[in-house]
Structure formats: structure tokens, C-alpha cells
Amino acid sequence: MANTTEKKKRTRYTSPKGSALFARVIDVDYGTEKYPDPKGSFNITLALDEPEAQHLDSMLEEEVSEAHAFTDNAFSELKPQSQKKLGEFKFNDLGPEEYDRDGTPTGRRLFRFKTGAFYERNGKKLQRRVPLFDSMQQAISLKEEPGNGSIVRVSFTCNPYFVEGQGMGGLSLYLDALQIIKLNKAGERSASDYGFGSEEGGFCGADDMDDDTTTTSEAPIGTDTSAPDDLPF
């Protein structure tokens, strides 16, 4: 992969809330036999309904525009024979559509966030940790990965990339931290997974809770222009 742009102060963003898929934010992910990740990473896929996906598109409009310019320039700098062999370069758009098992669009789009699990400092190899927070912005630790369907927000930065051998580029979304608004345990399924819908006026488990049950609030969507530490670019 070609080098990305020179290291500079990057904007930190907070995603809209969405549904977590295939989260690996606690244990290092080395990939699979078919798709190995020998260096190790932490990653998560965020499924967003179309309104939230469009909101994220709007947030990253300038970043995507810069990534297009970066990849276009990187392709133009390839040797003529390489350009001829590759044809036009391919730009990987953010947030491809999600399809169900029958190949039908679900109406959601999938955004993947990833960061290297290790980095070097003063000649030493250190393991990165993904900070986790609850809906009240309190730092938490988990023994198991958040299960599919957990409702989360992602704190992230981004940077353009270009793969010379494939004539392909895009915008990388780097995972910085995760806020867990609703936690599903790994393997746990929701009522909607079983085909149940909500019924107005019916039984609500919250009505049966003790009076001292704590309710939670959510953090606002926003951006932070501070530069994160130890970013993998």
C-alpha cells in the first residue's frame, strides 16, 4: 500500500449511533485463514440506517473530497505502463449497502472502522487499547466482545489511502474509541431477530423495575479537532 498523506493534525469525529457488527475491540484480531491479518488489529462494523448514514456522509464530505484528490494524484504519478495495465483507478466509496441472505437490501449501510493493535515507541512494541465508554460517558472494561446488535457510537479519525498494485484508493476510518449505549452479549439475539414487533399498550419490562433503577442518557454527536495519540499513519 502506498504511503498516505503526510502526518498532520486530523479531525476526530463521533459517528451517529448504530448497530455493531463483528466487533473486535477487546481481543486482537488476526483475521482468518482465508483473509489473514498478521499484524493484528481492532475493528468494528457499524450498520447505519439511511438517515444516519447520510448524516455521516455529510460529516465526511470534505474528507472524501480530499481522498479523491489524493488517489487521483497518486494514480497519475504511476508509470505509464502501470496506468495502462490498471486502466482507471478505483475509489472505494464509504458505506456499502447491506444485503440479507436472500440478496435483498436491508436499507442499512455498513461502515468499517479499524486500527492497528500494536505500535512502536522508543524502539518498543506496545499494544494499543481501545477505550470503551458507557452511555453516561464513564470508562468501562469488558471481558467479552460486544455482541451483534449492540447500539454504539464510534470515535474515529480518517486518512486517504492508495494501493499501487491494484490502482485502488479510498478513505480509511481509524477506530479511536467506542461508546456502548446498549450492550448485547455475544450470541444474544433481540426480539426483532425472532420476528417479534412492538405492541402499543402492552407489557413493558421497565414498568416492573424497582423505583431506584437508573436510566441512562446519550452523549451528543459532535467533532473534536484534537490530534489523537499513536495513530497508525
mmCIF file of all heavy atoms in Angstrom, residues 52-85:
data_model
loop_
_atom_site.group_PDB
_atom_site.id
_atom_site.type_symbol
_atom_site.label_atom_id
_atom_site.label_comp_id
_atom_site.label_asym_id
_atom_site.label_seq_id
_atom_site.Cartn_x
_atom_site.Cartn_y
_atom_site.Cartn_z
ATOM 1 N N GLU A 52 -29.102 8.121 9.165
ATOM 2 C CA GLU A 52 -27.851 8.261 9.911
ATOM 3 C C GLU A 52 -26.647 8.128 8.977
ATOM 4 O O GLU A 52 -25.630 8.809 9.152
ATOM 5 C CB GLU A 52 -27.775 7.217 11.025
ATOM 6 C CG GLU A 52 -28.686 7.463 12.211
ATOM 7 C CD GLU A 52 -30.148 7.194 11.894
ATOM 8 O OE1 GLU A 52 -30.425 6.393 10.961
ATOM 9 O OE2 GLU A 52 -31.013 7.783 12.575
ATOM 10 N N ALA A 53 -26.764 7.251 7.979
ATOM 11 C CA ALA A 53 -25.670 7.100 7.009
ATOM 12 C C ALA A 53 -25.461 8.393 6.223
ATOM 13 O O ALA A 53 -24.326 8.812 5.983
ATOM 14 C CB ALA A 53 -25.969 5.948 6.063
ATOM 15 N N GLN A 54 -26.555 9.033 5.837
ATOM 16 C CA GLN A 54 -26.441 10.293 5.113
ATOM 17 C C GLN A 54 -25.851 11.381 5.999
ATOM 18 O O GLN A 54 -25.101 12.244 5.521
ATOM 19 C CB GLN A 54 -27.811 10.711 4.589
ATOM 20 C CG GLN A 54 -28.335 9.838 3.472
ATOM 21 C CD GLN A 54 -29.675 10.293 2.937
ATOM 22 O OE1 GLN A 54 -30.170 11.356 3.300
ATOM 23 N NE2 GLN A 54 -30.286 9.492 2.073
ATOM 24 N N HIS A 55 -26.172 11.336 7.294
ATOM 25 C CA HIS A 55 -25.584 12.310 8.221
ATOM 26 C C HIS A 55 -24.073 12.119 8.295
ATOM 27 O O HIS A 55 -23.310 13.098 8.283
ATOM 28 C CB HIS A 55 -26.203 12.143 9.606
ATOM 29 C CG HIS A 55 -25.628 13.065 10.641
ATOM 30 N ND1 HIS A 55 -25.842 14.421 10.640
ATOM 31 C CD2 HIS A 55 -24.824 12.824 11.704
ATOM 32 C CE1 HIS A 55 -25.216 14.978 11.655
ATOM 33 N NE2 HIS A 55 -24.585 14.022 12.318
ATOM 34 N N LEU A 56 -23.625 10.865 8.332
ATOM 35 C CA LEU A 56 -22.190 10.598 8.370
ATOM 36 C C LEU A 56 -21.534 11.021 7.052
ATOM 37 O O LEU A 56 -20.432 11.575 7.045
ATOM 38 C CB LEU A 56 -21.934 9.117 8.648
ATOM 39 C CG LEU A 56 -20.479 8.698 8.861
ATOM 40 C CD1 LEU A 56 -19.817 9.520 9.959
ATOM 41 C CD2 LEU A 56 -20.382 7.215 9.183
ATOM 42 N N ASP A 57 -22.210 10.773 5.935
ATOM 43 C CA ASP A 57 -21.694 11.236 4.640
ATOM 44 C C ASP A 57 -21.466 12.745 4.663
ATOM 45 O O ASP A 57 -20.451 13.243 4.160
ATOM 46 C CB ASP A 57 -22.690 10.904 3.527
ATOM 47 C CG ASP A 57 -22.708 9.428 3.174
ATOM 48 O OD1 ASP A 57 -21.724 8.729 3.469
ATOM 49 O OD2 ASP A 57 -23.717 8.975 2.596
ATOM 50 N N SER A 58 -22.424 13.462 5.232
ATOM 51 C CA SER A 58 -22.328 14.922 5.286
ATOM 52 C C SER A 58 -21.145 15.357 6.143
ATOM 53 O O SER A 58 -20.413 16.287 5.792
ATOM 54 C CB SER A 58 -23.629 15.510 5.835
ATOM 55 O OG SER A 58 -23.548 16.906 5.939
ATOM 56 N N MET A 59 -20.938 14.675 7.264
ATOM 57 C CA MET A 59 -19.827 14.989 8.145
ATOM 58 C C MET A 59 -18.483 14.817 7.443
ATOM 59 O O MET A 59 -17.541 15.583 7.665
ATOM 60 C CB MET A 59 -19.869 14.083 9.388
ATOM 61 C CG MET A 59 -21.006 14.363 10.356
ATOM 62 S SD MET A 59 -21.128 13.074 11.629
ATOM 63 C CE MET A 59 -19.509 13.148 12.381
ATOM 64 N N LEU A 60 -18.401 13.797 6.582
ATOM 65 C CA LEU A 60 -17.118 13.434 5.970
ATOM 66 C C LEU A 60 -16.979 13.909 4.530
ATOM 67 O O LEU A 60 -16.064 13.479 3.814
ATOM 68 C CB LEU A 60 -16.947 11.910 6.024
ATOM 69 C CG LEU A 60 -16.938 11.295 7.418
ATOM 70 C CD1 LEU A 60 -16.767 9.782 7.332
ATOM 71 C CD2 LEU A 60 -15.848 11.907 8.277
ATOM 72 N N GLU A 61 -17.854 14.791 4.094
ATOM 73 C CA GLU A 61 -17.846 15.235 2.702
ATOM 74 C C GLU A 61 -16.492 15.808 2.296
ATOM 75 O O GLU A 61 -15.950 15.494 1.230
ATOM 76 C CB GLU A 61 -18.945 16.274 2.491
ATOM 77 C CG GLU A 61 -19.111 16.718 1.045
ATOM 78 C CD GLU A 61 -20.290 17.648 0.855
ATOM 79 O OE1 GLU A 61 -21.019 17.924 1.840
ATOM 80 O OE2 GLU A 61 -20.483 18.108 -0.281
ATOM 81 N N GLU A 62 -15.911 16.660 3.133
ATOM 82 C CA GLU A 62 -14.622 17.261 2.805
ATOM 83 C C GLU A 62 -13.508 16.224 2.823
ATOM 84 O O GLU A 62 -12.610 16.242 1.966
ATOM 85 C CB GLU A 62 -14.308 18.384 3.792
ATOM 86 C CG GLU A 62 -13.029 19.141 3.468
ATOM 87 C CD GLU A 62 -12.783 20.324 4.389
ATOM 88 O OE1 GLU A 62 -13.729 20.756 5.078
ATOM 89 O OE2 GLU A 62 -11.640 20.807 4.424
ATOM 90 N N GLU A 63 -13.558 15.295 3.782
ATOM 91 C CA GLU A 63 -12.538 14.245 3.860
ATOM 92 C C GLU A 63 -12.577 13.374 2.602
ATOM 93 O O GLU A 63 -11.527 13.016 2.050
ATOM 94 C CB GLU A 63 -12.778 13.373 5.099
ATOM 95 C CG GLU A 63 -12.702 14.108 6.429
ATOM 96 C CD GLU A 63 -11.276 14.282 6.920
ATOM 97 O OE1 GLU A 63 -10.326 13.893 6.190
ATOM 98 O OE2 GLU A 63 -11.104 14.789 8.042
ATOM 99 N N VAL A 64 -13.770 13.032 2.148
ATOM 100 C CA VAL A 64 -13.905 12.193 0.951
ATOM 101 C C VAL A 64 -13.397 12.940 -0.270
ATOM 102 O O VAL A 64 -12.718 12.361 -1.135
ATOM 103 C CB VAL A 64 -15.374 11.765 0.760
ATOM 104 C CG1 VAL A 64 -15.561 11.077 -0.593
ATOM 105 C CG2 VAL A 64 -15.810 10.828 1.888
ATOM 106 N N SER A 65 -13.687 14.237 -0.355
ATOM 107 C CA SER A 65 -13.216 15.039 -1.474
ATOM 108 C C SER A 65 -11.688 15.067 -1.513
ATOM 109 O O SER A 65 -11.072 14.923 -2.585
ATOM 110 C CB SER A 65 -13.767 16.463 -1.368
ATOM 111 O OG SER A 65 -13.296 17.278 -2.416
ATOM 112 N N GLU A 66 -11.056 15.227 -0.352
ATOM 113 C CA GLU A 66 -9.602 15.230 -0.279
ATOM 114 C C GLU A 66 -9.034 13.858 -0.656
ATOM 115 O O GLU A 66 -7.980 13.761 -1.296
ATOM 116 C CB GLU A 66 -9.145 15.616 1.127
ATOM 117 C CG GLU A 66 -9.406 17.076 1.485
ATOM 118 C CD GLU A 66 -8.942 17.416 2.886
ATOM 119 O OE1 GLU A 66 -8.449 16.497 3.589
ATOM 120 O OE2 GLU A 66 -9.076 18.583 3.294
ATOM 121 N N ALA A 67 -9.721 12.792 -0.253
ATOM 122 C CA ALA A 67 -9.264 11.438 -0.574
ATOM 123 C C ALA A 67 -9.334 11.188 -2.080
ATOM 124 O O ALA A 67 -8.445 10.550 -2.659
ATOM 125 C CB ALA A 67 -10.099 10.405 0.178
ATOM 126 N N HIS A 68 -10.397 11.699 -2.731
ATOM 127 C CA HIS A 68 -10.493 11.580 -4.182
ATOM 128 C C HIS A 68 -9.298 12.264 -4.854
ATOM 129 O O HIS A 68 -8.676 11.707 -5.778
ATOM 130 C CB HIS A 68 -11.797 12.216 -4.681
ATOM 131 C CG HIS A 68 -12.946 11.259 -4.744
ATOM 132 N ND1 HIS A 68 -13.068 10.312 -5.728
ATOM 133 C CD2 HIS A 68 -14.039 11.123 -3.936
ATOM 134 C CE1 HIS A 68 -14.181 9.621 -5.536
ATOM 135 N NE2 HIS A 68 -14.788 10.088 -4.457
ATOM 136 N N ALA A 69 -8.966 13.478 -4.403
ATOM 137 C CA ALA A 69 -7.847 14.220 -4.976
ATOM 138 C C ALA A 69 -6.530 13.488 -4.735
ATOM 139 O O ALA A 69 -5.663 13.427 -5.621
ATOM 140 C CB ALA A 69 -7.794 15.627 -4.390
ATOM 141 N N PHE A 70 -6.378 12.925 -3.545
ATOM 142 C CA PHE A 70 -5.149 12.204 -3.194
ATOM 143 C C PHE A 70 -4.968 10.975 -4.071
ATOM 144 O O PHE A 70 -3.877 10.735 -4.629
ATOM 145 C CB PHE A 70 -5.202 11.796 -1.723
ATOM 146 C CG PHE A 70 -4.096 10.869 -1.304
ATOM 147 C CD1 PHE A 70 -2.827 11.353 -1.042
ATOM 148 C CD2 PHE A 70 -4.323 9.507 -1.177
ATOM 149 C CE1 PHE A 70 -1.798 10.502 -0.659
ATOM 150 C CE2 PHE A 70 -3.300 8.646 -0.802
ATOM 151 C CZ PHE A 70 -2.039 9.143 -0.541
ATOM 152 N N THR A 71 -6.020 10.163 -4.240
ATOM 153 C CA THR A 71 -5.906 8.950 -5.025
ATOM 154 C C THR A 71 -5.732 9.261 -6.515
ATOM 155 O O THR A 71 -5.004 8.564 -7.222
ATOM 156 C CB THR A 71 -7.136 8.045 -4.827
ATOM 157 O OG1 THR A 71 -8.332 8.786 -5.117
ATOM 158 C CG2 THR A 71 -7.218 7.543 -3.394
ATOM 159 N N ASP A 72 -6.393 10.314 -6.978
ATOM 160 C CA ASP A 72 -6.246 10.727 -8.382
ATOM 161 C C ASP A 72 -4.801 11.124 -8.658
ATOM 162 O O ASP A 72 -4.207 10.730 -9.680
ATOM 163 C CB ASP A 72 -7.186 11.892 -8.670
ATOM 164 C CG ASP A 72 -7.224 12.254 -10.155
ATOM 165 O OD1 ASP A 72 -6.890 11.380 -10.979
ATOM 166 O OD2 ASP A 72 -7.566 13.401 -10.482
ATOM 167 N N ASN A 73 -4.210 11.878 -7.736
ATOM 168 C CA ASN A 73 -2.824 12.303 -7.898
ATOM 169 C C ASN A 73 -1.862 11.120 -7.806
ATOM 170 O O ASN A 73 -0.904 11.025 -8.585
ATOM 171 C CB ASN A 73 -2.475 13.334 -6.822
ATOM 172 C CG ASN A 73 -1.059 13.851 -6.960
ATOM 173 O OD1 ASN A 73 -0.711 14.540 -7.912
ATOM 174 N ND2 ASN A 73 -0.216 13.517 -5.981
ATOM 175 N N ALA A 74 -2.139 10.198 -6.853
ATOM 176 C CA ALA A 74 -1.270 9.028 -6.701
ATOM 177 C C ALA A 74 -1.295 8.168 -7.956
ATOM 178 O O ALA A 74 -0.257 7.643 -8.387
ATOM 179 C CB ALA A 74 -1.711 8.208 -5.491
ATOM 180 N N PHE A 75 -2.463 8.023 -8.571
ATOM 181 C CA PHE A 75 -2.568 7.224 -9.794
ATOM 182 C C PHE A 75 -1.818 7.900 -10.945
ATOM 183 O O PHE A 75 -1.155 7.228 -11.743
ATOM 184 C CB PHE A 75 -4.037 7.030 -10.168
ATOM 185 C CG PHE A 75 -4.244 6.124 -11.356
ATOM 186 C CD1 PHE A 75 -4.235 4.751 -11.205
ATOM 187 C CD2 PHE A 75 -4.449 6.651 -12.615
ATOM 188 C CE1 PHE A 75 -4.418 3.906 -12.301
ATOM 189 C CE2 PHE A 75 -4.630 5.830 -13.716
ATOM 190 C CZ PHE A 75 -4.619 4.452 -13.554
ATOM 191 N N SER A 76 -1.917 9.226 -11.018
ATOM 192 C CA SER A 76 -1.263 9.962 -12.115
ATOM 193 C C SER A 76 0.247 9.884 -12.016
ATOM 194 O O SER A 76 0.948 10.078 -13.021
ATOM 195 C CB SER A 76 -1.705 11.430 -12.106
ATOM 196 O OG SER A 76 -1.209 12.107 -10.957
ATOM 197 N N GLU A 77 0.780 9.591 -10.825
ATOM 198 C CA GLU A 77 2.220 9.507 -10.636
ATOM 199 C C GLU A 77 2.780 8.116 -10.931
ATOM 200 O O GLU A 77 3.990 7.912 -10.900
ATOM 201 C CB GLU A 77 2.587 9.918 -9.205
ATOM 202 C CG GLU A 77 2.353 11.406 -8.926
ATOM 203 C CD GLU A 77 2.757 11.805 -7.530
ATOM 204 O OE1 GLU A 77 3.007 10.890 -6.705
ATOM 205 O OE2 GLU A 77 2.834 13.014 -7.246
ATOM 206 N N LEU A 78 1.906 7.144 -11.216
ATOM 207 C CA LEU A 78 2.374 5.815 -11.585
ATOM 208 C C LEU A 78 3.018 5.848 -12.965
ATOM 209 O O LEU A 78 2.735 6.723 -13.784
ATOM 210 C CB LEU A 78 1.203 4.825 -11.598
ATOM 211 C CG LEU A 78 0.513 4.520 -10.266
ATOM 212 C CD1 LEU A 78 -0.655 3.560 -10.497
ATOM 213 C CD2 LEU A 78 1.499 3.926 -9.268
ATOM 214 N N LYS A 79 3.869 4.890 -13.244
ATOM 215 C CA LYS A 79 4.497 4.795 -14.557
ATOM 216 C C LYS A 79 3.414 4.561 -15.615
ATOM 217 O O LYS A 79 2.411 3.901 -15.346
ATOM 218 C CB LYS A 79 5.507 3.658 -14.582
ATOM 219 C CG LYS A 79 6.699 3.880 -13.655
ATOM 220 C CD LYS A 79 7.671 2.712 -13.726
ATOM 221 C CE LYS A 79 8.866 2.951 -12.811
ATOM 222 N NZ LYS A 79 9.832 1.812 -12.854
ATOM 223 N N PRO A 80 3.606 5.104 -16.815
ATOM 224 C CA PRO A 80 2.594 4.960 -17.873
ATOM 225 C C PRO A 80 2.177 3.516 -18.119
ATOM 226 O O PRO A 80 0.998 3.230 -18.338
ATOM 227 C CB PRO A 80 3.284 5.561 -19.096
ATOM 228 C CG PRO A 80 4.256 6.545 -18.524
ATOM 229 C CD PRO A 80 4.740 5.935 -17.250
ATOM 230 N N GLN A 81 3.151 2.576 -18.084
ATOM 231 C CA GLN A 81 2.816 1.180 -18.333
ATOM 232 C C GLN A 81 1.917 0.623 -17.229
ATOM 233 O O GLN A 81 1.052 -0.223 -17.488
ATOM 234 C CB GLN A 81 4.075 0.318 -18.487
ATOM 235 C CG GLN A 81 5.063 0.392 -17.331
ATOM 236 C CD GLN A 81 6.129 1.441 -17.538
ATOM 237 O OE1 GLN A 81 5.836 2.518 -18.061
ATOM 238 N NE2 GLN A 81 7.359 1.121 -17.155
ATOM 239 N N SER A 82 2.133 1.091 -15.995
ATOM 240 C CA SER A 82 1.283 0.654 -14.884
ATOM 241 C C SER A 82 -0.129 1.198 -15.031
ATOM 242 O O SER A 82 -1.121 0.499 -14.788
ATOM 243 C CB SER A 82 1.879 1.109 -13.548
ATOM 244 O OG SER A 82 3.128 0.504 -13.315
ATOM 245 N N GLN A 83 -0.234 2.470 -15.428
ATOM 246 C CA GLN A 83 -1.547 3.060 -15.641
ATOM 247 C C GLN A 83 -2.309 2.327 -16.742
ATOM 248 O O GLN A 83 -3.516 2.081 -16.621
ATOM 249 C CB GLN A 83 -1.402 4.542 -16.000
ATOM 250 C CG GLN A 83 -0.859 5.412 -14.886
ATOM 251 C CD GLN A 83 -0.864 6.879 -15.259
ATOM 252 O OE1 GLN A 83 -1.756 7.342 -15.960
ATOM 253 N NE2 GLN A 83 0.135 7.622 -14.786
ATOM 254 N N LYS A 84 -1.590 1.983 -17.818
ATOM 255 C CA LYS A 84 -2.237 1.292 -18.927
ATOM 256 C C LYS A 84 -2.726 -0.086 -18.499
ATOM 257 O O LYS A 84 -3.816 -0.524 -18.889
ATOM 258 C CB LYS A 84 -1.257 1.170 -20.098
ATOM 259 C CG LYS A 84 -1.856 0.534 -21.336
ATOM 260 C CD LYS A 84 -0.852 0.507 -22.473
ATOM 261 C CE LYS A 84 -1.476 -0.123 -23.726
ATOM 262 N NZ LYS A 84 -0.501 -0.156 -24.856
ATOM 263 N N LYS A 85 -1.930 -0.773 -17.703
ATOM 264 C CA LYS A 85 -2.290 -2.109 -17.237
ATOM 265 C C LYS A 85 -3.498 -2.064 -16.313
ATOM 266 O O LYS A 85 -4.391 -2.915 -16.390
ATOM 267 C CB LYS A 85 -1.098 -2.746 -16.523
ATOM 268 C CG LYS A 85 -1.373 -4.154 -16.007
ATOM 269 C CD LYS A 85 -0.149 -4.721 -15.317
ATOM 270 C CE LYS A 85 -0.434 -6.106 -14.761
ATOM 271 N NZ LYS A 85 0.766 -6.678 -14.077
#
